[in-house]
Amino acid sequence: MTLPKCATPPTPQETAELRERYRAERERRVRPEGAAQYRSTTADFGYFAADPYAGEVPAREPLCDEVDVAIVGGGFGGILAGARMRQQGLEKVRVIEQGGDFGGTWYWNRYPGIHCDIESHVYLPMLDETGYVPEWKYAPGDEIRRHAVRIAERFDLYEDALFSTAVTALTWDGDAHQWLVTTDRGDEFRATYVVTATGTLSEPKLPGIPGIEDFKGHTFHTSRWDYGYTGGGPDGGMTGLADKRVGVVGTGATGVQAIPKLAEDARQLYVFQRTPSAVDVRGQRRMTPQDIGADRPGWAGERRENFLRIVSGEDADRDLVADRWTESAALLEKLLPSFRRDGEPDFEAAYEAADHATMNQIRDRVAAEVTDPATAEALKPWYRYACKRPTFSDLYLPAFNRENVTLVDTADTHGIERMTERGVVVGGVEYEIDCLIFATGFSVGVSGVTSGKLPVTGRNGLQLLSSLAEFGPRTLHGFTSTGFPNLIQLGPMQNASSVNFSHILDEQAAHAAALVAAAERDDALLEPTPEAVDAWRATCAEDAPDHEWFHAECTPGYYNREGRGRPNGPHAYPHGAVAFHELLRRWREERVGEVLRKKG
Ligand code: NDP
């Protein structure tokens, strides 16, 4: 695949002007303290992360039993791992989840307007297996959460699940060949295998605004929506806001979905924006089973694979999903070598031209949709495509034409300046509000086994986190590590990634279950040799795309560690998810024995 053709390549002068504009817009926003500008929702701010959906958590006796597999995390990663383990015949499968039910990000995020902006027919896993066909091209959050529950029910994962429970430590018992799992509910049970599926963006974060604790009005984070205060539900109808002045901080993928609903229901809405999102066309519509070929067996797997091939730059005979993700795939994943392989004579120039064309289209759309010229100007994104996560909405921009909606641009003050008892101060102006909603995203890398919150002690007292800090990621295919037998990690590290991450998780879950099945068959432990781990590290380093040049020129955000560029290391398989999945399939057929180690 080559880059999309753009109608008119920019002149050298236009290119120079645009680069200069991008540089200036980045400078306006970079903060010297980087990610330290945020506050975590722990300690004094822990109430921002409390579970508003679980109700009163029933007391239960601590567990001291044994299971075949313990799975840490009940989002799609954990659910799919559980389902695939069941398909391999494992009986005692226990998922441990901090939320009150299955669903992960779709359990926590229930904000008004919530949808997945990846097509439902490729995003929802196990559609073939469950016979479920989503009605809309982009599914609402609640439908996705109910699908997560559907899979968990289908594979009997409720039977042994522990909800409202956090795993506090994992310790390998070399004599018993088991993991000891301890939790914050006093459990101390044993598991032959442990799978970690703790997600990457799970802890809500707050901006470190001076005076945040002085505000006397109501506040909450979008991932813990307070419908008790707003009334209504994810479809809107928030009657509690009819007499309220509401502020929302943050205009990322969440803000773009929630703001149109808030605009409909609040008496007055102030949108405090630091960097505008690139808001592309969404094209939500109903789709019949015939539209998507759902009358044939295997349709969902085929469609999902087709989407992955296109966004990974692999050949595909047609584009089944045909939306702005697939149309912009080359810009989205330009760093993958597969996008350069056709011998594009001048890749950089072609990329820059295509990028300008797409971003100009997105900026022109703002001008066409937003009537007030100053507001339109402030809503235009001045950076390259995918510097920030692309967003898709046909409702967001028109919301700014409403009389009750005011955009407050905070770029020159690097965000909200401070808060007072009554409201928010930007540029010396105090905006009095009754309620402030933080659509300010999530801390990166603070959950799970790589964060220190979940200490993992392997063979001979080896600490997973110290090993990671000292040597960097050392895994075979991202899943297993020397010194940590029968521990399987899911996630993007030394693995593959893609915009459709539920697909990646499903492949990971299938691989994890195949590893466990192989170990069971041979009565062996799962543990790679140091040589296999070194070889995989070298594979990840070979051809690793250089992200630095791209991220160094982007406006700050969590993609580039708040403007500091991205660490450039052998942290992912460099040839894309399609090639990675093929590699895993072949490895399972021919070489799975390499990860099996005799007990004793
Ligand atoms: P983001 O981190 O993407 O956005 C946070 C927002 O808060 C940004 O607009 C940021 O501005 C703003 N912000 C932070 N601090 C301040 C401050 N001091 N003053 C003013 N503004 C501030 O979080 P989201 O929750 O929007 O999205 C997180 C991720 O969740 C997405 O990237 C995506 O992966 C996923 N998601 C997926 C969806 C889907 O449909 N599949 C839907 C929603 C989310 P700035 O940009 O300047 O830092």
Side-chain angles (χ1 to χ4, degrees), residues 385-448:
Y385 193 78
C387 267
K388 292 193 161 290
R389 189 185 186 282
T391 69
F392 307 85
S393 176
D394 301 330
L395 308 172
Y396 179 71
L397 296 170
F400 291 92
N401 294 333
R402 298 178 66 108
E403 295 224 324
N404 65 329
V405 178
T406 305
L407 181 71
V408 183
D409 190 358
T410 72
D412 285 329
T413 49
H414 296 89
I416 284 181
E417 269 171 85
R418 63 191 164 87
M419 288 181 71
T420 65
E421 278 187 18
R422 290 177 303 273
V424 166
V425 179
V426 178
V429 177
E430 183 179 32
Y431 295 85
E432 287 192 24
I433 50 178
D434 301 298
C435 171
L436 186 63
I437 300 168
F438 291 103
T440 42
F442 304 87
S443 303
V444 181
V446 299
S447 72

Side-chain angles (χ1 to χ4, degrees), residues 314-463:
E314 302 288 344
D315 292 330
D317 52 2
R318 62 216 155 120
D319 178 357
L320 292 173
V321 169
D323 67 359
R324 291 298 292 155
W325 283 113
T326 58
E327 285 162 13
S328 311
L331 292 176
L332 191 74
E333 297 287 5
K334 69 214 151 282
L335 302 173
L336 284 176
S338 46
F339 277 106
R340 300 165 181 239
R341 75 171 179 215
D342 283 349
E344 180 75 45
D346 189 349
F347 180 87
E348 303 300 337
Y351 154 67
E352 194 150 21
D355 187 73
H356 286 182
T358 299
M359 288 306 288
N360 281 341
Q361 231 173 42
I362 286 173
R363 287 186 285 263
D364 289 349
R365 184 175 185 230
V366 180
E369 299 261 345
V370 178
T371 44
D372 174 55
T375 305
E377 207 42 47
L379 283 165
K380 288 182 186 170
W382 293 100
Y383 46 77
R384 288 178 172 162
Y385 193 78
C387 267
K388 292 193 161 290
R389 189 185 186 282
T391 69
F392 307 85
S393 176
D394 301 330
L395 308 172
Y396 179 71
L397 296 170
F400 291 92
N401 294 333
R402 298 178 66 108
E403 295 224 324
N404 65 329
V405 178
T406 305
L407 181 71
V408 183
D409 190 358
T410 72
D412 285 329
T413 49
H414 296 89
I416 284 181
E417 269 171 85
R418 63 191 164 87
M419 288 181 71
T420 65
E421 278 187 18
R422 290 177 303 273
V424 166
V425 179
V426 178
V429 177
E430 183 179 32
Y431 295 85
E432 287 192 24
I433 50 178
D434 301 298
C435 171
L436 186 63
I437 300 168
F438 291 103
T440 42
F442 304 87
S443 303
V444 181
V446 299
S447 72
V449 291
T450 55
S451 71
K453 285 198 174 159
L454 173 45
V456 182
T457 309
R459 200 187 283 288
N460 303 323
L462 195 62
Q463 297 293 319

Side-chain angles (χ1 to χ4, degrees), residues 31 37-38 111 115-117 201 205 207 209 249-255 257 272 274-275 388-389 410 414-416 439-442 556 558 562:
R31 287 173 54 146
Q37 69 183 276
Y38 297 108
Y111 55 81
H115 281 73
C116 182
D117 58 18
L201 295 173
K205 71 175 164 30
I209 308 170
V249 195
T251 53
T254 299
Q257 292 188 352
F272 298 102
R274 187 164 61 186
T275 314
K388 292 193 161 290
R389 189 185 186 282
T410 72
H414 296 89
I416 284 181
T440 42
F442 304 87
Y558 80 89
E562 301 301 328

